[in-house]
Amino acid sequence: MQQKSKLFLQALKYSIPRLGKCMQKQHLNHCTFADHYYNRIKLKKYHLTKCLQNKPTISELARNIPSRSFSSKDFLPIKQENEKSLSKNMDAFEKVRTRLETQPQEEYEIINAEVKHGGFVYYQEGCCLVRSKDEEADNDNYEVLFNLEELKLEQPFIDCIRVAPDEKYVAAKIRTEDSEASTCIVVKLSDQPVMEASFPNVSSFEWVKDEEEEDVLFYTFQRNLRCNDVYRATFGDNKRNERFYTEKDPSYFVFLYLTKDSRFLTINIMNKTTSEVWLIDGLSPWDPPVLIQKRIHGVLYYVEHRDDELYILTNVGEPTEFKLMRTAADTPAIMNWDLFFTMKRNTKVVDLDMFKDHCVLFLKHSNLLYVNVIGLADDSVRSLKLPPWACGFIMDTNSDPKNCPFQLCSPIRPPKYYTYKFAEGKLFEETGHEDPITKTSRVLRLEAKSKDGKSVPMTIFHKTDSEDLQKKPLLVHVYGAYGMDLKMNFRPERRVLVDDGWILAYCHVRGGGELGLQWHADGRLTKKLNGLADLEACIKTLHGQGFSQPSLTTLTAFSAGGVLVGALCNSNPELLRAVTLEAPFLDVLNTMMDTTLPLTLEELEEWGNPSSDEKHKNYIKRYCPYQNIKPQHYPSIHITAYENDERVPLKGIVNYAEKLNEAITEHAKNTGEGYQAPNVVLDIQPGGNHVIEDSHKKITAQIKFLYEELGLDSTSVFENLKKYLKF
């Protein structure tokens, strides 16, 4: 059976447009159901070039446009430095920064998609799609199947791979870093492999085999960030390509998932709060699909299969959190669902994996990670509490019914392998060199009390030997939207900051998903201000417990996390010294009133409909960062934006920066001489991707900004960061 990722809930990510690419060739995030949904990602080394890719996309219009930066003083482009003719007297930071930005990319190991099928491993080697025998996968003995350079794209890479059941064809989705577009190629496997077909803008895709032993490729087509169409195609002598399904409600997204046993292909139709699933028989793919349950507003469900039974993860019934139910495959309607397993309160279901005799649930409960192993023969449950340093899962592919492998990671610790062996009933840890960060740093789980009495979890990292933490710089992270967890994957720059004495704090505020579905519901629509209150409470609690002080406190966020950060800068700017934002969503009101934008209709369940609902409009006005800018003192702000970003339009970010500078200028005039105005830097990067997490230039610019604003020496942090490029 074909190897594939078992990210059972991965489809949910695709109903969360402004999250953007959750980065996992850069960051396998959301490696939870919010991460990359196809590939097995082989972790060999850690670096800043590509660290696990998430959302599938590819560039059709590769461009080479220099980045542009703007400051609050004149809001004019900053002259770019000629890095080849740097002065010998330049400071230490600039020397290291130059090495980071000009380091040849080929010197870093790229982490590629990898799929095992039969006795072969399929993966990317250089600019080629290749395969090799499983036992020779780590050698250089491989067969070239397709040269990506034929697509004439700039630095293309394979995002995911699917092999047809009988290994006659392989399909691969290809993208580049600077675009949200994607292309799927189909290669015929023979003595001389040839590209059989190419499909643009493919989101998800799966193979099945029909009654005539013919391979059928089902795929979804994405247009303007919306995925509403399902196609099926055959190749060889009986070529065809036909549209199979079209979702007419523009607020829904369509995603394909093949059950782990390949028995059914599921068509998942969903928005933020509601889903509907259709089954395509993996043995008779030309038969009409079977509806499991017609969409019911507020009901989410996802489907796996084993031994003629459907296992359904759903929030139906009370409490409205996820629970596991099951029913016979031939009686799939909701009235036949039987409760099989319930979760504890404040539990987030990260993922689910199905085995021959076991079901494994990957959970987050009260900000700690757990694995629940359910014996399907006797309904026994074994709950395993995972090491307290772990903050996220990375799922691994595996067809061995005896073992369940996965990885654990944290922002400052690279992923580590674990395997649960069903026969022994034990969890085995990868042996070898113990990462020194385990002894040189601490991870703390704290809670803050929001103004309505809610306890808000926080995860904090700092050096073990740090003295007088009140005088240490603090970097706070927040997201708080779409029911998504705050990203806590390994990032070398975060580890380097901790090594340099920084405190890192991750605030799991309402609107996110860390404590389950209700935690999200309590921070969306007309409860969005709860997330802002939570963030304020977290920062005040940190200061009150001796972690840093306002003059050394910085805050960072990306995409929709920019809403809470921008709102806090308006309401309590005195809590912060500096802020960094990437592709931030800052103009909620005007964006949600513009129905011509590709994502507005999909976003109504999260932000509300200000065009038709006056209550929603007035509520958004209360927190929208752009609407609430006023003449006052602000923290310094560094914003990274992307020129052709379709998810968060550049226009809204530029308008925000201009209005903010006007307010700062007015406040400076009213304050008089001697006032030190904050810096506002808008750095516009080329390309059309939403977020590029592992950009050397972006990372160094943001860290330089923070160090300069806090008046800290940056020499050692950049020397240490350089070591991780070949880590």
Side-chain angles (χ1 to χ4, degrees), residues 525-526 607-610 613-621:
L525 295 176
T526 55
W607 309 102
N609 190 348
D613 191 319
E614 196 67 20
K615 179 182 178 182
H616 286 170
K617 183 177 182 179
N618 291 333
Y619 190 84
I620 291 173
K621 283 182 177 180

Side-chain angles (χ1 to χ4, degrees), residues 96-112:
V96 176
R97 179 185 183 209
T98 301
R99 283 199 292 270
L100 291 178
E101 295 182 7
T102 60
Q103 189 80 21
Q105 194 162 323
E106 296 85 312
E107 291 193 288
Y108 315 135
E109 180 171 6
I110 305 300
I111 297 175
N112 297 318

